[in-house]
Amino acid sequence: MDVDALAPEVAALAQRLLARGWRVAAAESCTGGLIAATCTAVAGSSHWFDRGFVTYSNEAKSELLGVPPALIAAHGAVSEPVALAMAEGALARSAADLAVAVTGIAGPGGAVPGKPVGTVWMALARRGAPAQARRLQLDGDRSAVRAATVRAALAARTGACEPSRAGGEA
């Protein structure tokens, strides 16, 4: 994925975060740290990007973000409840004001009935507001799904910075 191609989206996010005095954190499973890499490739990102959590395994989701193993067992790692718990965990374990989490199936090895390749849950948590999540169904191979997920996460975080949105839009 070409992080330079996303520079305009990252710049828009940075501008909105800096205007509000906010910092952001990312919790990533299906993207393997590409959201954090895209954000931190921009000079000055240390002023608005707090940290990234990469949680490929269920154990990492529990250890790094506090996602209860029982929640993962009950709903699966690619689910709304897990995405919400990941976002809330990233917010709780960082100095960020806003956190985005993505968990999904980017490659054919994770596909199951009802959750084909391209199924991604994205959640957004903001201090003082309820976390929100939405399901994405993306097309393409692993690289395309990962790139589309990064773009969606950047757009969601940019929208969450708008003052007119009470809870932000995930």
Side-chain angles (χ1 to χ4, degrees), residues 31-50:
T31 53
L34 288 175
I35 295 169
T38 301
C39 290
T40 58
V42 174
S45 61
S46 60
H47 296 290
W48 54 270
F49 188 83
D50 186 66

PDB file of all heavy atoms in Angstrom, residues 31-50:
ATOM      1  N   THR A  31      -5.545  -5.058   9.454  1.00  0.00           N
ATOM      2  CA  THR A  31      -4.639  -4.196   8.691  1.00  0.00           C
ATOM      3  C   THR A  31      -3.197  -4.311   9.160  1.00  0.00           C
ATOM      4  O   THR A  31      -2.301  -3.754   8.526  1.00  0.00           O
ATOM      5  CB  THR A  31      -5.087  -2.728   8.766  1.00  0.00           C
ATOM      6  OG1 THR A  31      -5.231  -2.381  10.138  1.00  0.00           O
ATOM      7  CG2 THR A  31      -6.381  -2.518   8.019  1.00  0.00           C
ATOM      8  N   GLY A  32      -2.952  -4.976  10.253  1.00  0.00           N
ATOM      9  CA  GLY A  32      -1.593  -5.236  10.701  1.00  0.00           C
ATOM     10  C   GLY A  32      -0.739  -4.014  10.946  1.00  0.00           C
ATOM     11  O   GLY A  32       0.467  -4.054  10.758  1.00  0.00           O
ATOM     12  N   GLY A  33      -1.320  -2.927  11.344  1.00  0.00           N
ATOM     13  CA  GLY A  33      -0.556  -1.730  11.658  1.00  0.00           C
ATOM     14  C   GLY A  33      -0.480  -0.719  10.526  1.00  0.00           C
ATOM     15  O   GLY A  33       0.207   0.296  10.650  1.00  0.00           O
ATOM     16  N   LEU A  34      -1.201  -0.948   9.423  1.00  0.00           N
ATOM     17  CA  LEU A  34      -1.138  -0.015   8.299  1.00  0.00           C
ATOM     18  C   LEU A  34      -1.754   1.343   8.613  1.00  0.00           C
ATOM     19  O   LEU A  34      -1.315   2.356   8.056  1.00  0.00           O
ATOM     20  CB  LEU A  34      -1.817  -0.614   7.063  1.00  0.00           C
ATOM     21  CG  LEU A  34      -1.057  -1.751   6.387  1.00  0.00           C
ATOM     22  CD1 LEU A  34      -1.890  -2.343   5.254  1.00  0.00           C
ATOM     23  CD2 LEU A  34       0.277  -1.260   5.863  1.00  0.00           C
ATOM     24  N   ILE A  35      -2.752   1.398   9.492  1.00  0.00           N
ATOM     25  CA  ILE A  35      -3.327   2.693   9.861  1.00  0.00           C
ATOM     26  C   ILE A  35      -2.267   3.505  10.592  1.00  0.00           C
ATOM     27  O   ILE A  35      -2.009   4.667  10.265  1.00  0.00           O
ATOM     28  CB  ILE A  35      -4.593   2.529  10.717  1.00  0.00           C
ATOM     29  CG1 ILE A  35      -5.697   1.845   9.913  1.00  0.00           C
ATOM     30  CG2 ILE A  35      -5.076   3.889  11.238  1.00  0.00           C
ATOM     31  CD1 ILE A  35      -6.891   1.399  10.745  1.00  0.00           C
ATOM     32  N   ALA A  36      -1.624   2.890  11.584  1.00  0.00           N
ATOM     33  CA  ALA A  36      -0.575   3.575  12.332  1.00  0.00           C
ATOM     34  C   ALA A  36       0.577   3.966  11.412  1.00  0.00           C
ATOM     35  O   ALA A  36       1.106   5.086  11.497  1.00  0.00           O
ATOM     36  CB  ALA A  36      -0.077   2.699  13.474  1.00  0.00           C
ATOM     37  N   ALA A  37       0.973   3.074  10.521  1.00  0.00           N
ATOM     38  CA  ALA A  37       2.075   3.372   9.598  1.00  0.00           C
ATOM     39  C   ALA A  37       1.731   4.539   8.689  1.00  0.00           C
ATOM     40  O   ALA A  37       2.572   5.406   8.426  1.00  0.00           O
ATOM     41  CB  ALA A  37       2.412   2.137   8.770  1.00  0.00           C
ATOM     42  N   THR A  38       0.497   4.582   8.217  1.00  0.00           N
ATOM     43  CA  THR A  38       0.062   5.658   7.339  1.00  0.00           C
ATOM     44  C   THR A  38       0.072   6.990   8.075  1.00  0.00           C
ATOM     45  O   THR A  38       0.522   8.000   7.541  1.00  0.00           O
ATOM     46  CB  THR A  38      -1.344   5.362   6.784  1.00  0.00           C
ATOM     47  OG1 THR A  38      -1.286   4.122   6.067  1.00  0.00           O
ATOM     48  CG2 THR A  38      -1.822   6.450   5.852  1.00  0.00           C
ATOM     49  N   CYS A  39      -0.409   6.975   9.310  1.00  0.00           N
ATOM     50  CA  CYS A  39      -0.444   8.213  10.096  1.00  0.00           C
ATOM     51  C   CYS A  39       0.951   8.684  10.480  1.00  0.00           C
ATOM     52  O   CYS A  39       1.267   9.869  10.374  1.00  0.00           O
ATOM     53  CB  CYS A  39      -1.293   8.017  11.346  1.00  0.00           C
ATOM     54  SG  CYS A  39      -3.057   7.846  10.990  1.00  0.00           S
ATOM     55  N   THR A  40       1.788   7.771  10.915  1.00  0.00           N
ATOM     56  CA  THR A  40       3.107   8.164  11.406  1.00  0.00           C
ATOM     57  C   THR A  40       4.104   8.434  10.284  1.00  0.00           C
ATOM     58  O   THR A  40       5.216   8.906  10.541  1.00  0.00           O
ATOM     59  CB  THR A  40       3.675   7.129  12.390  1.00  0.00           C
ATOM     60  OG1 THR A  40       3.746   5.856  11.746  1.00  0.00           O
ATOM     61  CG2 THR A  40       2.803   7.040  13.636  1.00  0.00           C
ATOM     62  N   ALA A  41       3.728   8.172   9.037  1.00  0.00           N
ATOM     63  CA  ALA A  41       4.593   8.515   7.909  1.00  0.00           C
ATOM     64  C   ALA A  41       4.602  10.020   7.653  1.00  0.00           C
ATOM     65  O   ALA A  41       5.441  10.525   6.923  1.00  0.00           O
ATOM     66  CB  ALA A  41       4.146   7.775   6.648  1.00  0.00           C
ATOM     67  N   VAL A  42       3.675  10.726   8.285  1.00  0.00           N
ATOM     68  CA  VAL A  42       3.544  12.165   8.095  1.00  0.00           C
ATOM     69  C   VAL A  42       4.345  12.895   9.172  1.00  0.00           C
ATOM     70  O   VAL A  42       4.202  12.597  10.370  1.00  0.00           O
ATOM     71  CB  VAL A  42       2.054  12.573   8.162  1.00  0.00           C
ATOM     72  CG1 VAL A  42       1.887  14.078   8.125  1.00  0.00           C
ATOM     73  CG2 VAL A  42       1.284  11.911   7.043  1.00  0.00           C
ATOM     74  N   ALA A  43       5.153  13.839   8.758  1.00  0.00           N
ATOM     75  CA  ALA A  43       5.927  14.635   9.711  1.00  0.00           C
ATOM     76  C   ALA A  43       4.985  15.346  10.680  1.00  0.00           C
ATOM     77  O   ALA A  43       3.943  15.854  10.282  1.00  0.00           O
ATOM     78  CB  ALA A  43       6.784  15.651   8.973  1.00  0.00           C
ATOM     79  N   GLY A  44       5.331  15.337  11.933  1.00  0.00           N
ATOM     80  CA  GLY A  44       4.521  16.008  12.952  1.00  0.00           C
ATOM     81  C   GLY A  44       3.427  15.150  13.548  1.00  0.00           C
ATOM     82  O   GLY A  44       2.654  15.616  14.382  1.00  0.00           O
ATOM     83  N   SER A  45       3.357  13.890  13.139  1.00  0.00           N
ATOM     84  CA  SER A  45       2.283  13.024  13.630  1.00  0.00           C
ATOM     85  C   SER A  45       2.346  12.807  15.140  1.00  0.00           C
ATOM     86  O   SER A  45       1.335  12.488  15.752  1.00  0.00           O
ATOM     87  CB  SER A  45       2.304  11.677  12.915  1.00  0.00           C
ATOM     88  OG  SER A  45       3.524  11.003  13.157  1.00  0.00           O
ATOM     89  N   SER A  46       3.493  13.020  15.740  1.00  0.00           N
ATOM     90  CA  SER A  46       3.592  12.824  17.193  1.00  0.00           C
ATOM     91  C   SER A  46       2.743  13.831  17.960  1.00  0.00           C
ATOM     92  O   SER A  46       2.458  13.633  19.134  1.00  0.00           O
ATOM     93  CB  SER A  46       5.050  12.920  17.654  1.00  0.00           C
ATOM     94  OG  SER A  46       5.578  14.195  17.334  1.00  0.00           O
ATOM     95  N   HIS A  47       2.289  14.882  17.297  1.00  0.00           N
ATOM     96  CA  HIS A  47       1.428  15.872  17.948  1.00  0.00           C
ATOM     97  C   HIS A  47      -0.037  15.436  18.005  1.00  0.00           C
ATOM     98  O   HIS A  47      -0.809  15.984  18.783  1.00  0.00           O
ATOM     99  CB  HIS A  47       1.530  17.221  17.240  1.00  0.00           C
ATOM    100  CG  HIS A  47       2.885  17.821  17.315  1.00  0.00           C
ATOM    101  ND1 HIS A  47       3.434  18.311  18.476  1.00  0.00           N
ATOM    102  CD2 HIS A  47       3.829  17.966  16.358  1.00  0.00           C
ATOM    103  CE1 HIS A  47       4.649  18.754  18.245  1.00  0.00           C
ATOM    104  NE2 HIS A  47       4.922  18.546  16.968  1.00  0.00           N
ATOM    105  N   TRP A  48      -0.420  14.479  17.160  1.00  0.00           N
ATOM    106  CA  TRP A  48      -1.833  14.084  17.115  1.00  0.00           C
ATOM    107  C   TRP A  48      -2.049  12.572  17.088  1.00  0.00           C
ATOM    108  O   TRP A  48      -3.166  12.111  17.306  1.00  0.00           O
ATOM    109  CB  TRP A  48      -2.540  14.733  15.924  1.00  0.00           C
ATOM    110  CG  TRP A  48      -1.876  14.481  14.607  1.00  0.00           C
ATOM    111  CD1 TRP A  48      -0.917  15.245  14.024  1.00  0.00           C
ATOM    112  CD2 TRP A  48      -2.079  13.374  13.731  1.00  0.00           C
ATOM    113  NE1 TRP A  48      -0.515  14.681  12.830  1.00  0.00           N
ATOM    114  CE2 TRP A  48      -1.220  13.527  12.624  1.00  0.00           C
ATOM    115  CE3 TRP A  48      -2.916  12.263  13.762  1.00  0.00           C
ATOM    116  CZ2 TRP A  48      -1.170  12.626  11.578  1.00  0.00           C
ATOM    117  CZ3 TRP A  48      -2.872  11.347  12.712  1.00  0.00           C
ATOM    118  CH2 TRP A  48      -2.011  11.542  11.634  1.00  0.00           C
ATOM    119  N   PHE A  49      -1.017  11.777  16.841  1.00  0.00           N
ATOM    120  CA  PHE A  49      -1.166  10.317  16.868  1.00  0.00           C
ATOM    121  C   PHE A  49      -0.518   9.791  18.136  1.00  0.00           C
ATOM    122  O   PHE A  49       0.676   9.984  18.353  1.00  0.00           O
ATOM    123  CB  PHE A  49      -0.517   9.672  15.629  1.00  0.00           C
ATOM    124  CG  PHE A  49      -0.816   8.197  15.531  1.00  0.00           C
ATOM    125  CD1 PHE A  49      -2.002   7.761  14.967  1.00  0.00           C
ATOM    126  CD2 PHE A  49       0.061   7.263  16.036  1.00  0.00           C
ATOM    127  CE1 PHE A  49      -2.299   6.404  14.890  1.00  0.00           C
ATOM    128  CE2 PHE A  49      -0.224   5.903  15.962  1.00  0.00           C
ATOM    129  CZ  PHE A  49      -1.410   5.475  15.393  1.00  0.00           C
ATOM    130  N   ASP A  50      -1.309   9.144  18.983  1.00  0.00           N
ATOM    131  CA  ASP A  50      -0.786   8.692  20.272  1.00  0.00           C
ATOM    132  C   ASP A  50      -0.081   7.352  20.174  1.00  0.00           C
ATOM    133  O   ASP A  50       1.052   7.228  20.597  1.00  0.00           O
ATOM    134  CB  ASP A  50      -1.905   8.621  21.316  1.00  0.00           C
ATOM    135  CG  ASP A  50      -1.365   8.310  22.690  1.00  0.00           C
ATOM    136  OD1 ASP A  50      -0.643   9.157  23.243  1.00  0.00           O
ATOM    137  OD2 ASP A  50      -1.621   7.194  23.187  1.00  0.00           O
TER     138      ASP A  50
END
